[in-house]
Amino acid sequence: MPLLEYTVGFVIGSAFGAFNGKELQPLATGAVQQAKAVTGKVGFGGIPGHFRILTSRPARGQLLAVKCGIKRAANLPKADIIGSSDPYVVIELRRQTEGPKASPAFKYRTKKIMNDLNPEWNERFSTSPFEYEEDHKILVTLYDYDFMKSHDKLGYCEIPLTDLINKTGPASYKVLPCPDGVKHQSAGAEIILDFEVVAE
């Protein structure tokens, strides 16, 4: 498996330096396979210093997986005439170059939350392994569940996978209106998601 490439900065007084992935390999779990920030200590000329992995990029075609936590959403638009909305989330792994009718590489759907514009799902999943390409993206679509008719789109967000390579912890993503979704949008609609990209 090809090593991830890292840019590493360490501080000894006011000195800075860089190490490549091979030199850091003994210091990180799994031969530096986890694509996320790592902190620790490294020796330089017998003098200990601190390092932090700042950026990392997997090789094209490397097997990766995405771990995702779907926390909650806030300020979603009202879709139902009576009540508010019954939201659920669909998360898909797609390619930027694909058309909307192409099948996603992976798809996950949450449970629905009835009559709530600020729903909490607190669900987690992991994608199956896939070969990394730079145009991979995460497509997040929020729907309003309807029993008797098609489900209305409440909004969506798109996240390039490259933006998630070195990200850990929950983050807020703005929910944008869908052209074919509900007409009345709520200002400040957002969804809280937690992503981690890992090497297989």
Side-chain angles (χ1 to χ4, degrees), residues 8-12 17-19 23-24 26-27 40-52:
V8 179
F10 70 94
V11 180
I12 304 175
F19 291 85
E23 290 170 320
L24 275 177
L27 301 175
K41 293 183 178 180
V42 64
F44 180 72
I47 304 174
H50 296 281
F51 73 87
R52 179 176 176 81

Side-chain angles (χ1 to χ4, degrees), residues 68-77 85-91 108-125 140-145 152 154-155 157 171 173 175 189-194:
C68 178
I70 307 168
K71 304 295 187 181
R72 62 188 183 278
N75 304 314
L76 296 182
S85 291
D86 308 317
Y88 67 90
V89 183
V90 173
I91 293 186
Y108 179 86
R109 173 176 166 171
T110 69
K111 63 186 178 184
K112 63 181 180 292
I113 306 294
M114 302 301 292
N115 197 32
D116 197 339
L117 300 182
N118 299 283
E120 294 189 13
W121 292 280
N122 292 316
E123 297 185 27
R124 297 196 64 86
F125 71 90
V140 182
T141 309
L142 292 94
Y143 290 87
D144 170 55
Y145 175 85
D152 297 321
L154 298 174
C157 61
Y173 298 91
V175 176
E190 63 176 353
I191 185 168
I192 309 299
L193 303 169
D194 182 356

